[in-house]
Amino acid sequence: MHCNIDQKGRRFRMIGGIICTIGGLVCLGVAVAGLAVIAMVCTGIALLISGAFQIYEARKGWCAIRAMGFKTPI
């Protein structure tokens, strides 16, 4: 894994990761409060996992999609 994104891409992924992580925590909080069904738990877990992965990509300066050969605009 070598750096394949620039500072703009790293910043974009970090912001997206933070937003996903916060959204996941909110979903899980709503589910724990008993205001939603099991779908909210699954959504919260998926958001937490994707947010954590985006934060990892931002910290490493590596993009999984670019590593597979796809061109991304950012």
Side-chain angles (χ1 to χ4, degrees):
M1 286 186 346
H2 58 78
C3 184
N4 63 1
I5 56 175
D6 59 1
Q7 288 298 319
K8 183 179 177 183
R10 291 176 82 165
R11 190 174 334 113
F12 183 78
R13 278 164 186 77
M14 182 62 77
I15 291 169
I18 291 169
I19 290 170
C20 282
T21 302
I22 291 171
L25 292 173
V26 168
C27 286
L28 291 177
V30 168
V32 167
L35 302 174
V37 293
I38 193 72
M40 189 65 79
V41 173
C42 295
T43 302
I45 291 171
L47 283 170
L48 283 175
I49 291 170
S50 64
F53 186 68
Q54 287 181 36
I55 291 170
Y56 171 77
E57 283 184 323
R59 299 279 297 156
K60 291 291 185 180
W62 175 74
C63 177
I65 300 298
R66 282 188 172 216
M68 289 188 286
F70 294 99
K71 299 285 184 190
T72 58
I74 295 176

